[in-house]
Amino acid sequence: TWTRWDVLSALAWLALERGYSRPVFKSDGLLNLELCRHPVVEQTLGKGFVPNTIRLTPGECMLLTGPNMAGKSTLMRQVALIAVLAQIGSFVPAEKAELPLFSEIFTRIGASDALNEGLSTFMVEMTETAQILKRVGPQSLVIMDEIGRGTSTYDGMSLAQAILEHMIGLKKPYLLFATHYHELTGLATIHPQLHNRHMSVQEKGGQIQFLHTLQEGPAKASYGIH
């Protein structure tokens, strides 16, 4: 009992200190996070953190493109963290938060191997993805970051497209999907539930500046050489 009260009081103080808002659970399935922030990165950066607004209805996918270091992974992870915080009874880092009740949250993020088990980096990625595809459903929140990067370009792109289309066509979860395969952005023309978004970049004098702002449409480039 004391441990429970300790956790609840800590969350309450955090909400007061950081200006968190009370989440509202919607029966219509709307996911609407207005000017939301990453609860951990925000504390590291202080006032320099750029909030963004994310809105998804059931079965929709946000296909996120843009350069490395522009904030794609941070944006997707903050959505998952806000969902967890809301469903454990905490206030959340957003101006306004409306969420459905998620049955589970699935993530495929990062690159790691398990060589002692005979698994390469790519095999770990594919094994975890296969488990997600077996278990995911309409009440799931799915975060996928750079699927298919551990193999050849065309193999990776084929895998990414097949996984993306399987998700939005059959499984229909709430999906946030980040990729450097800009060819995938063309799928929005045949899948109306897929929405292209990108993290904005400003070019000036041969230099690029990351604005960390979510905008509509696909990114123009990945700026890997930069």
Side-chain angles (χ1 to χ4, degrees):
T1 302
W2 284 110
T3 302
R4 181 181 180 185
W5 281 110
D6 184 50
V7 171
L8 291 175
S9 63
L11 291 174
W13 278 111
L14 180 66
L16 287 170
E17 293 169 355
R18 297 288 172 177
Y20 288 10
S21 65
R22 181 180 180 181
V24 176
F25 292 102
K26 303 282 288 184
S27 59
D28 60 5
L30 175 66
L31 172 63
N32 180 42
L33 306 177
E34 296 183 7
L35 297 177
C36 65
R37 294 111 56 195
H38 191 294
V40 180
V41 178
E42 179 189 37
Q43 292 194 36
T44 304
L45 296 180
K47 294 183 179 179
F49 190 88
V50 179
N52 280 290
T53 296
I54 295 99
R55 182 184 176 92
L56 286 174
T57 58
E60 285 190 327
C61 167
M62 183 175 77
L63 182 62
L64 190 58
T65 50
N68 291 311
M69 304 300 293
K72 300 191 303 297
S73 295
T74 299
L75 182 78
M76 295 196 301
R77 293 180 195 201
Q78 72 195 42
V79 174
L81 286 170
I82 287 172
V84 170
L85 285 170
Q87 291 192 206
I88 66 171
S90 174
F91 280 35
V92 299
E95 291 294 317
K96 180 180 180 181
E98 299 172 306
L99 307 96
L101 281 172
F102 295 113
S103 56
E104 58 272 308
I105 298 175
F106 296 109
T107 65
R108 168 79 285 278
I109 294 175
S112 62
D113 57 43
L115 298 182
N116 60 321
E117 299 177 23
L119 301 177
S120 66
T121 301
F122 178 65
M123 193 59 180
V124 168
E125 178 183 323
M126 289 296 100
T127 301
E128 291 181 359
T129 300
Q131 291 301 316
I132 292 172
L133 292 175
K134 289 178 181 178
R135 298 171 55 193
V136 69
Q139 292 302 118
S140 305
L141 173 63
V142 181
I143 310 295
M144 287 194 157
D145 197 359
E146 306 297 352
I147 289 293
R149 61 185 160 187
T151 186
S152 68
T153 300
Y154 291 113
D155 280 0
M157 191 187 307
S158 298
L159 282 164
Q161 179 171 340
I163 291 164
L164 178 57
E165 290 195 290
H166 181 73
M167 285 279 197
I168 60 179
L170 294 177
K171 299 295 187 174
K172 304 185 187 304
Y174 296 78
L175 177 60
L176 291 94
F177 195 102
T179 186
H180 282 295
Y181 296 130
H182 292 273
E183 294 82 355
L184 299 184
T185 61
L187 293 175
T189 60
I190 55 176
H191 295 288
Q193 67 272 45
L194 187 151
H195 305 288
N196 281 308
R197 299 289 185 269
H198 70 279
M199 304 305 293
S200 58
V201 174
Q202 185 178 60
E203 295 184 72
K204 188 175 182 180
Q207 301 294 317
I208 60 173
Q209 178 183 2
F210 303 127
L211 303 180
H212 306 294
T213 303
L214 183 67
Q215 295 186 347
E216 293 186 2
K220 296 179 181 179
S222 289
Y223 299 96
I225 302 300
H226 289 70

